[in-house]
Amino acid sequence: MLTAAQVAQYVRDGFTVVRGALDDQEIERFATAFKRHPPLHGPVPGVYPEPGRYTLAESCMADPDLAFVAEHPTVVESAATLLEDDPVLTAFVVYDRTPDGPGIPMHNDYKRWRPVGSSMNWLFTIVPLDDFDADAGQLFVAPGSHRLERIHDRGGRTLEVNPAIRPDEDSFIDPELKRGDLLLMNMHCWHKAAPNRSKRHRIGFFNKYAAASHPPATGYYPYTDAAFNALSESGKRLMATHSDKPIANARVLLQNGDTYLFHDGKLPGGPTFHERAIPDWDLGNYIASAHAATRERLKIEAPWLTWVGDYDEGDTLCRLYAYELSGQGFPVRYDGEWLSRDQVLDRNLGFGYEADAIDRWLDPEVVRGKGISQAQARVDQYAY
């Protein structure tokens, strides 16, 4: 689907554009469905459509007339080519910058505290429903600002990322996005948006896809079963997790050599809560919950955690994170017992998923990043 020149541009500049990726009929289908769903999922409440930027997200794709764009062949095949892997939908988002709505300053969207931003290999797929011109507000990108040389593999369980490098103001360009164009943009590419000075709504969908082998460090956004069922049978492969069961517990697979800590016969953990130190729509980061539980039960707090999986615990789900001890901690006894994988199987401990979780954690094909709480990210997301 993409040309060699487009792939080369993405590698070099951090973005590329497919002109006319969606036709007028497809855009109209999406725009009509959008009118049925007020975009009120943003972190800052407003009186729609007063001037502002409004968000339609969460599980809004339960409407098939919205969901079809998530599995649009041009979008999905282009994402697969650039990710060099099967793409997984991590965010289904529509932004509506209403008339006189403000712009957004320069930023990039690799964010270790967000389910939609903490994978180590993801990209934006951005399609405007109307021209992003000087009146409605351009989306500017900074070519080459993704700076992938900042990412390092130092032999641990997770990749390391050096702090982002802020580009110069004059390095941004306007890719001149028109109605139905597709902008594919690397997660580390810096971008900004101009204000909407027109009398029309500036609407576009800004979906995100991660490589299947690179799950979000915080865990995926918890889509509902209805959102999953809005996809076609072939499109269902795009959603890694979904359930109507609540994620009620957060647990930690704590590794020390070839053993794993069990506390009262279970992996240590406790009830989840929504942190809301950095408000946004994409719930699902329960690292603060895991920290609270391990502080209370084990008197420790890991500098970061990374998602392993979501597991059934009866009427609810558990979001499981992992961390490997480095041997640099003060040698105080842990409350619990350290067990090997074979001992876990022999003892039939916990809920029955623990051996599978260990296997997932040790899978060398999975590339992981460091997940942190929102409170940690408010200080410095690169400090860990």
Side-chain angles (χ1 to χ4, degrees), residues 139-156:
L139 175 64
F140 296 97
V141 295
S145 60
H146 52 317
R147 304 292 292 271
L148 299 185
E149 72 274 11
R150 298 184 298 110
I151 303 171
H152 305 282
D153 183 355
R154 298 195 173 104

Side-chain angles (χ1 to χ4, degrees), residues 175-241:
E176 300 180 0
L177 296 177
K178 306 295 185 185
R179 170 185 167 97
D181 287 348
L182 168 63
L183 172 67
L184 298 131
M185 185 170 66
N186 183 275
M187 57 192 269
H188 293 288
C189 186
W190 287 71
H191 52 286
K192 62 181 181 178
N196 184 356
R197 301 181 178 90
S198 74
K199 298 302 180 184
R200 66 182 192 270
H201 289 232
R202 178 191 182 274
I203 301 171
F205 65 82
F206 289 66
N207 295 346
K208 299 177 182 179
Y209 296 83
S213 58
H214 294 61
T218 63
Y220 289 96
Y221 175 79
Y223 282 106
T224 63
D225 289 340
F228 175 74
N229 290 326
L231 296 167
S232 69
E233 287 306 309
S234 62
K236 286 180 169 62
R237 74 187 190 281
L238 297 170
M239 192 170 288
T241 62

Side-chain angles (χ1 to χ4, degrees), residues 359-381:
D359 291 341
R360 283 200 198 185
W361 168 235
L362 298 178
D363 186 349
E365 300 301 316
V366 179
V367 181
R368 305 183 188 278
K370 295 180 177 180
I372 59 176
S373 69
Q374 294 176 356
Q376 290 173 297
R378 286 184 61 162
V379 178
D380 181 0
Q381 74 159 334

Side-chain angles (χ1 to χ4, degrees), residues 228-289:
F228 175 74
N229 290 326
L231 296 167
S232 69
E233 287 306 309
S234 62
K236 286 180 169 62
R237 74 187 190 281
L238 297 170
M239 192 170 288
T241 62
H242 64 91
S243 180
D244 288 337
K245 291 184 178 182
I247 299 175
N249 286 290
R251 300 188 187 277
V252 179
L253 181 67
L254 193 64
Q255 181 182 4
N256 185 14
D258 294 328
T259 62
Y260 305 87
L261 185 65
F262 279 73
H263 182 269
D264 292 335
K266 300 182 181 69
L267 294 174
T272 57
F273 57 85
H274 297 311
E275 189 179 6
R276 299 195 184 280
I278 304 177
D280 222 315
W281 66 268
D282 55 325
L283 303 178
N285 179 357
Y286 294 113
I287 290 175
S289 304

